[in-house]
């Protein structure tokens, strides 16, 4: 069992930056594949980025490639999402999610692939 808590959201102007953090409880978090999703009003939850347990591999949704960077510090049980060059269309609630089982080289980007979710943090980008 793991509990996730996001932080770091808030209002920002277009072109600005934010760093989201996902702090996890549990001693086995370093073995969990972890991702970020977002959900804008009236839209479905969508995949943003993910990182393998040992941070060997990362994956990004096309619209955030080159602007967002996912990373993790397993010693601190924390996954980060550095967001640069933010756009108004990035406005959403951002969720951290993890799955307990991982097969080397696998890629998971569907919400149903994940076992644990945080409560979300709001990111609002103004033009």
């Amino acid at each position: 069992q793991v509990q996730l808590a996001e932080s770091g959201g808030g209002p920002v102007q277009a072109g600005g930056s934010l760093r989201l953090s996902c702090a996890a409880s549990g001693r086995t978090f370093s073995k969990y594949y972890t991702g970020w999703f977002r959900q804008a009003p009236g839209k479905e939850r969508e995949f943003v980025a993910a990182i393998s347990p040992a941070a060997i591999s990362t994956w990004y949704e096309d619209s955030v490639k080159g602007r967002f960077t996912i990373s993790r510090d397993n010693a601190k049980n924390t996954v980060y999402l550095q967001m640069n060059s933010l756009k108004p269309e990035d406005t959403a609630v951002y969720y951290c999610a993890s799955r307990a089982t991982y097969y080397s080289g696998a890629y998971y980007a569907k919400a149903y692939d994940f076992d644990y979710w945080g409560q979300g943090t709001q990111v609002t980008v103004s033009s």
Side-chain angles (χ1 to χ4, degrees):
Q1 187 80 14
V2 66
Q3 293 183 327
L4 305 175
E6 303 93 338
S7 62
V12 63
Q13 289 191 332
S17 298
L18 284 174
R19 188 176 80 156
L20 305 184
S21 298
C22 172
S25 64
R27 291 176 291 178
T28 59
F29 182 67
S30 61
K31 298 180 181 179
Y32 285 33
Y33 174 99
T34 301
W36 287 93
F37 288 75
R38 65 186 180 187
Q39 188 166 19
K43 295 187 177 181
E44 293 186 354
R45 192 168 298 191
E46 67 172 358
F47 171 79
V48 176
I51 188 166
S52 61
I56 293 174
S57 300
T58 58
W59 297 267
Y60 297 92
E61 192 270 329
D62 285 347
S63 70
V64 307
K65 285 180 180 177
R67 300 189 299 123
F68 291 11
T69 302
I70 189 171
S71 62
R72 68 191 300 159
D73 184 340
N74 285 336
K76 295 183 178 179
N77 272 11
T78 302
V79 170
Y80 304 97
L81 185 68
Q82 177 66 44
M83 305 187 296
N84 299 328
S85 301
L86 282 161
K87 304 175 181 180
E89 51 264 43
D90 295 318
T91 295
V93 177
Y94 282 71
Y95 297 91
C96 174
S98 290
R99 62 173 282 133
T101 57
Y102 178 72
Y103 300 96
S104 180
Y107 163 61
Y108 306 97
K110 300 294 186 182
Y112 56 71
D113 289 325
F114 291 80
D115 305 305
Y116 306 104
W117 290 83
Q119 293 300 307
T121 185
Q122 176 71 47
V123 172
T124 303
V125 185
S126 59
S127 57

